[in-house]
Amino acid sequence: MLALRLARGAHPVVLLRRLAVAAAAGGTGFLLLCTMGYALGHPDAGRASVLRLLWCLPPLAATVQLAVAVARTDPGTRPHQGLSAVGLGPNRLMILAAVNTLVSCTLGSMLALLFFLHLRGDLTGLPMDGDAAELLGAGQSLPLAAVLTLLALVPLAASVAAAVVLRPRRLRPGDERDPAHPEPPAPAPNGLPWGVALMAVGLSVELYAAGAESSGLPLPGRLVSTPAGVLAGWAVTALGLAFAGPGLTYLSGRLLQAWRPGAARLLAGRVLQEEAARIGRPLGVVCAVVSGLIAALSLYGGPATSFGPLTALGGSLVAGCTVLALLTAAVEARQARAHTTAALLRLGAPVSLLRTAVALRIVALLTVLGPLTCAIALLAAAPMAS
């Protein structure tokens, strides 16, 4: 009940974020239901049904990432003074965030079920009645247990992930901050070496699998088949790029402060270093998705290429969720440094300085991550093309 009251009185921007989570959960739930419908209509194609189910994992992961990012920036679940006195301590706020995420994703899953039944022809009276009846296994009775399991997968995964990320952490004896001795610039993230190692391993696996004779793994839609080793290597490469995101963001801040920096470059570099742990991982995921898009366009680009409606839906979900998660993380970072920005303005810093620092941060990130993303995309597409 408290979650519903907070949702009703939330800011319109907060409601839009929750609706975005609901839309992403609905799209992913619809893909899962379409996989079940294909299995019902093609009982002999067991391997193809399993592969279709595996292709739903990237949209599921992207939806969970977006749900966690939205839960982190939800003002209703942020600690405030006096909330502990009325029974809303850190543990209760964590549960409240998980419940909000569960409600949003459940709404999307219910809409996905209605749209799925409508396209099968089970619900009539609206346009497009039964337009995908053959694809979704119309005429076959739906197993209730399977439907409920698939629809509950996204809400449960998103709510559990939000609870794990937002769980209260206990401070160790050496973690207390002394106001008289402020912290130096944030320490460098330690994920860059692991990310580089994963990218090297992934590219090596791709090259080896492309040269070996193996049966192709069918891709979704109307794409050509590709060896499973090549796809596994590409997945490892994308994971390495995501791991290297915080370290690359921190490196961009270091580069901005090199060679006698002025006030704007110094401020932009310090902000990037402070925000590396917060926005680096979503930024790395976006770079992985962009590199996959570039590789796909270089392989299958052309006016005659048709990816299929479900493939387009899955790709749109992955791209949209990752970009929205990055924007949400940027909003969270802006909220975290609101006191610093206000202090700079009180000290007389011009607004143009802050805008210049924002532009410098964007240019630095594009300079470091842009060429790397394009290079990984071309290297990943080369084995697939061969």
Side-chain angles (χ1 to χ4, degrees):
M1 184 62 66
L2 178 60
L4 294 178
R5 290 184 177 180
L6 290 176
R8 186 179 61 180
H11 193 272
V13 177
V14 178
L15 292 178
L16 286 177
R17 295 175 193 162
R18 294 176 182 173
L19 288 178
V21 173
T28 305
F30 179 74
L31 288 177
L32 292 171
L33 292 176
C34 289
T35 301
M36 183 192 64
Y38 178 84
L40 292 176
H42 303 79
D44 298 332
R47 183 171 180 266
S49 300
V50 173
L51 290 176
R52 284 172 175 263
L53 185 62
L54 291 178
W55 285 116
C56 295
L57 292 180
L60 174 62
T63 302
V64 171
Q65 181 196 14
L66 175 61
V68 171
V70 171
R72 288 172 60 97
T73 57
D74 196 336
T77 59
R78 197 172 302 154
H80 297 281
Q81 295 181 354
L83 289 181
S84 298
V86 295
L88 289 178
N91 293 320
R92 292 290 183 89
L93 291 178
M94 176 197 67
I95 297 175
L96 183 60
V99 171
N100 287 336
T101 305
L102 182 65
V103 170
S104 299
C105 293
T106 302
L107 174 62
S109 297
M110 292 298 102
L111 293 177
L113 177 60
L114 293 178
F115 190 62
F116 174 76
L117 295 176
H118 172 61
L119 291 182
R120 285 183 89 239
D122 297 335
L123 299 179
T124 59
L126 294 174
M128 298 187 300
D129 288 338
D131 283 358
E134 182 179 358
L135 178 63
L136 302 181
Q140 303 289 334
S141 60
L142 293 176
L144 181 61
V147 172
L148 294 179
T149 301
L150 292 177
L151 289 180
L153 186 59
V154 178
L156 289 179
S159 58
V160 170
V164 170
V165 171
L166 297 177
R167 71 187 186 278
R169 293 175 175 83
R170 296 181 180 179
L171 292 177
R172 297 179 180 178
D175 291 343
E176 291 84 0
R177 299 181 181 180
D178 186 2
H181 300 85
E183 289 185 284
N190 55 5
L192 184 58
W194 290 101
V196 173
L198 286 175
M199 285 187 283
V201 170
L203 291 175
S204 301
V205 170
E206 285 188 65
L207 292 174
Y208 177 78
E213 295 183 0
S214 58
S215 59
L217 187 67
L219 293 174
R222 300 181 178 89
L223 307 182
V224 297
S225 60
T226 304
V230 174
L231 296 177
W234 161 244
V236 174
T237 303
L239 184 64
L241 191 56
F243 265 95
L248 294 173
T249 305
Y250 190 90
L251 179 62
S252 302
R254 290 291 299 270
L255 291 178
L256 274 177
Q257 300 175 75
W259 303 296
R260 297 181 180 181
R265 282 201 294 144
L266 185 62
L267 178 60
R270 292 294 177 88
V271 170
L272 276 182
Q273 288 179 328
E274 290 289 336
E275 297 176 354
R278 183 177 286 110
I279 69 172
R281 190 62 52 82
L283 189 59
V285 174
V286 170
C287 291
V289 172
V290 171
S291 63
L293 179 62
I294 295 176
L297 291 178
S298 63
L299 288 173
Y300 308 106
T305 303
S306 177
F307 296 100
L310 296 182
T311 306
L313 175 60
S316 301
L317 280 174
V318 173
C321 288
T322 52
V323 172
L324 286 178
L326 176 60
L327 295 178
T328 306
V331 171
E332 181 188 7
R334 182 180 180 181
Q335 293 174 351
R337 65 173 188 273
H339 297 290
T340 303
T341 303
L344 289 174
L345 293 176
R346 285 196 304 268
L347 291 175
V351 180
S352 59
L353 175 64
L354 302 179
R355 294 174 180 173
T356 303
V358 172
L360 288 174
R361 293 199 298 271
I362 296 175
V363 170
L365 291 175
L366 291 177
T367 302
V368 173
L369 296 176
L372 178 62
T373 302
C374 295
I376 290 178
L378 295 179
L379 289 175
M384 297 183 185
S386 61

